[in-house]
Structure formats: C-alpha cells, structure tokens
Amino acid sequence: MSKKTIGDQELSLLQYIEEAPKSSVAEVCAGFGEARGLARSTVLTMMERLRAKGYLTRRKIDNSFRYSATNGAGEVMTGAVGRFVERTLQGSVSPFVAWMSERGQVSDAELAELEALVGTLQSRRKAR
C-alpha cells in the first residue's frame, strides 16, 4: 500500500528531519519552526501527521521523543513527481520538458543529469 501524500510544508519538514535525525520536537521547533514563524503546536501536529502517514518514526530517548524519517526525502519527492505526472500531466512528461526548455534556466549540472537520464532510458529501451 502506498503512503498518503504530503504537502509542501510537510515535505520541507521531512527534509529537515532527514538532515537532523533523532530530533526532538523542541529541536525541530528551534531549527525549522522558528524560521518559518510556526508555533510549537503546529510543528508537533505536522510531525505527528507525518508519523501517522508513515513518513516518520519516533522513539523515546532520555524522557523525550526523537523523530527520524522512515524513508529518504528523495523517495518522497520521487513519489510526488510521479503522482504529479500521472494526475496532472496524464502520464506524459512532454509538457514538463517543454516548460523546462521555455524557462531556459537549466544549469550545466542539471543538463548533464538530464542527458544521463535520457541515456539510461535509451539503454533500457534497447535492452528490451
């Protein structure tokens, strides 16, 4: 069964916790919430929602709960992109590629990554 979707702010929080595993609510509030103007209760609610959705685990260590990501944020991002392509673009990446070419702001590193991905796709197609 796939995990429930998450919003942009939840994804940002998940990325933060992935970079700072075994974080307490207080630590996440100080490092993530304060910069965004979020109250402790809001941060705690988001963390518990992510836990309920299966993206975070918590463990009691020294009288406080410590939260860690169950999967990498990269996996979550991949799933989000997949859902976007399927739902919004009806399974076609062509509109996204057209948008990127019109945008004209693709860095050399991004272009090299895209070329490598196309190479991988071509190799898989030939292997069939």
Side-chain angles (χ1 to χ4, degrees), residues 2-6 55 75-90:
S2 64
K3 292 182 181 176
K4 293 184 179 181
T5 60
I6 64 174
Y55 292 104
E75 290 179 42
V76 175
M77 183 66 74
T78 298
V81 169
R83 284 187 297 279
F84 172 78
V85 169
E86 290 302 319
R87 291 179 184 163
T88 306
L89 304 178
Q90 288 78 44

Side-chain angles (χ1 to χ4, degrees), residues 39-95:
R40 181 185 189 286
S41 60
T42 302
V43 173
L44 175 59
T45 298
M46 289 172 58
M47 291 171 74
E48 283 300 311
R49 283 185 183 160
L50 286 170
R51 190 170 74 89
K53 292 177 181 181
Y55 292 104
L56 292 180
T57 60
R58 74 176 188 190
R59 188 169 165 210
K60 196 163 193 169
I61 301 173
D62 297 330
N63 295 323
S64 70
F65 285 112
R66 299 289 177 157
Y67 291 78
S68 295
T70 57
N71 293 1
E75 290 179 42
V76 175
M77 183 66 74
T78 298
V81 169
R83 284 187 297 279
F84 172 78
V85 169
E86 290 302 319
R87 291 179 184 163
T88 306
L89 304 178
Q90 288 78 44
S92 174
V93 295
S94 296

Side-chain angles (χ1 to χ4, degrees), residues 78-126:
T78 298
V81 169
R83 284 187 297 279
F84 172 78
V85 169
E86 290 302 319
R87 291 179 184 163
T88 306
L89 304 178
Q90 288 78 44
S92 174
V93 295
S94 296
F96 178 71
V97 173
W99 172 81
M100 287 180 62
S101 68
E102 290 172 11
R103 183 179 92 162
Q105 297 174 345
V106 178
S107 70
D108 290 341
E110 289 172 321
L111 187 57
E113 188 175 350
L114 288 168
E115 288 170 343
L117 290 169
V118 168
T120 300
L121 290 171
Q122 289 172 334
S123 295
R124 286 181 187 166
R125 182 171 274 184
K126 289 177 186 175

Side-chain angles (χ1 to χ4, degrees), residues 6-22:
I6 64 174
D8 293 342
Q9 186 131 283
E10 287 177 319
L11 180 59
S12 294
L13 176 59
L14 185 60
Q15 289 169 325
Y16 178 85
I17 293 173
E18 183 181 33
E19 292 172 13
K22 298 182 182 173

